[in-house]
């Protein structure tokens, strides 16, 4: 097989496996988004009604607990409300995560903007990117100080009710678990390779110049994510991961 064809076959196998690895997590996120939208739509304010409150979101909990057990990579999952959405609190996360002993526990944060310990989540990529783009995203890796203090990825999707942004559904994946799935694939390629998100943040890599967590600047990642085929730019081949918002970056000579 000519080298270019062999390289293309190799990168295609990697991107297909990455998609298979993360699509199950995105399916859990999509189901959470649909259920949150349905609950919120049923509580949309009408004359004389109170509008949605935190108690309405409690109906999400059985499914969230189940998904923590079913989706092997998921370490935390839930719905994050847009500030001002709920009538009884200024902000809210209906968020549950796995505990070390195998149980599940809620994430409890100070969400009062009037306090010094206020946890403003609206600036985090996992919230801002789905809000601003209307698309599902992979944020990180980053140290998840809100939830686990673990290096993590967060997969998120916007939730809309009556055409308006209502918040995001999201799920956390520990980076060590993601790397256990994809690093053997990257190491099997005969050239250095990195998986990079839409912001250029490296999620996994065999390139010592671009380790996980580093920011890769220069490549036109937006163009690559919008293309069904590999794109060559700045001496690199950018291969989209088949619908997953990650790009496999390899040397252009290899692709």
């Amino acid at each position: 097989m000519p080298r270019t064809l062999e390289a293309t076959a190799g990168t295609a196998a990697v991107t297909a496996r990455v998609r298979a690895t993360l699509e199950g997590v995105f399916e859990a996120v999509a189901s959470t988004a649909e259920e949150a939208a349905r609950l919120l739509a049923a509580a949309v304010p009408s004359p004389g009604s109170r509008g949605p409150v935190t108690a309405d979101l409690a109906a999400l909990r059985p499914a969230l607990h189940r998904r923590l057990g079913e989706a092997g990579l998921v370490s935390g999952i839930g719905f994050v409300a847009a500030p001002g959405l709920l009538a009884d609190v200024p902000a809210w996360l209906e968020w549950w995560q796995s505990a070390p002993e195998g149980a599940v526990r809620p994430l409890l944060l100070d969400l009062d903007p009037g306090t010094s310990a206020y946890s403003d989540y609206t600036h985090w990529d996992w919230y801002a990117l789905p809000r601003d783009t209307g698309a599902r995203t992979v944020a990180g890796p980053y140290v998840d100080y809100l939830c686990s203090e673990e290096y993590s990825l967060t997969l998120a999707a916007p939730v809309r009710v009556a055409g308006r942004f209502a918040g995001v559904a999201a799920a956390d994946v520990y980076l060590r678990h993601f790397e256990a799935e994809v690093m053997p694939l990257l190491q099997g390629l005969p050239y250095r390779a990195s998986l990079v998100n839409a912001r250029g943040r490296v999620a996994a890599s065999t390139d010592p110049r671009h380790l996980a967590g580093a920011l890769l600047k220069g490549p036109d990642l937006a163009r690559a994510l919008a293309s069904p085929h590999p794109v060559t730019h700045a001496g690199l081949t950018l291969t989209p991961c088949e619908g997953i918002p990650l790009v496999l970056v390899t040397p252009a000579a290899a692709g």
Side-chain angles (χ1 to χ4, degrees):
M1 180 183 295
R3 176 162 175 74
T4 54
L5 292 179
E6 182 181 6
T8 300
T11 56
V14 171
T15 55
R17 179 64 180 273
V18 171
R19 183 183 189 280
T21 297
L22 291 184
E23 195 59 58
V25 180
F26 268 124
E27 288 174 3
V29 169
S31 296
T32 300
E34 292 169 4
E35 291 161 7
R38 186 168 59 250
L39 288 170
L40 292 168
V44 167
S46 58
S49 71
R50 54 169 169 72
V53 295
T54 52
D56 295 320
L57 296 176
L60 292 172
R61 294 175 186 174
L64 295 179
H65 295 178
R66 185 178 69 252
R67 288 178 190 125
L68 278 172
E70 290 177 346
L73 287 178
V74 175
S75 61
I77 190 167
F79 169 73
V80 183
L85 174 75
L86 303 176
D88 57 337
V89 291
W92 187 254
L93 293 88
E94 186 60 48
W95 192 269
W96 292 78
Q97 54 196 28
S98 299
E101 66 276 11
V104 298
R105 63 188 179 196
L107 175 64
L108 302 175
L109 299 175
D110 185 340
L111 297 173
D112 182 353
T115 68
S116 60
Y118 171 50
S119 298
D120 180 7
Y121 49 74
T122 59
H123 68 282
W124 289 91
D125 277 356
W126 51 260
Y127 182 91
L129 281 172
R131 178 195 62 198
D132 297 345
T133 67
R136 64 185 193 173
T137 62
V138 175
Y142 62 99
V143 179
D144 189 356
Y145 292 111
L146 288 181
C147 297
S148 63
E149 298 190 354
E150 283 250 11
Y151 223 31
S152 301
L153 301 172
T154 300
L155 284 61
V159 176
R160 303 186 70 83
V161 178
R164 298 181 60 184
F165 176 75
V168 303
D172 285 340
V173 173
Y174 292 149
L175 183 65
R176 53 189 168 89
H177 294 161
F178 176 69
E179 286 186 320
E181 294 287 332
V182 303
M183 282 298 288
L185 302 169
L186 299 182
Q187 291 166 345
L189 295 172
Y191 35 79
R192 62 185 184 272
S194 302
L195 284 166
V196 180
N197 73 7
R199 285 276 176 90
R201 190 70 62 186
V202 178
S205 179
T206 57
D207 187 341
R209 301 170 304 171
H210 303 114
L211 299 178
L215 191 63
L216 182 64
K217 299 180 179 180
D220 191 347
L221 299 171
R223 179 185 168 205
L225 286 168
S227 172
H229 306 294
V231 171
T232 299
H233 182 259
L236 299 170
T237 295
L238 313 176
T239 305
C241 289
E242 303 182 34
I244 296 294
L246 290 175
V247 174
L248 179 64
V249 179
T250 56

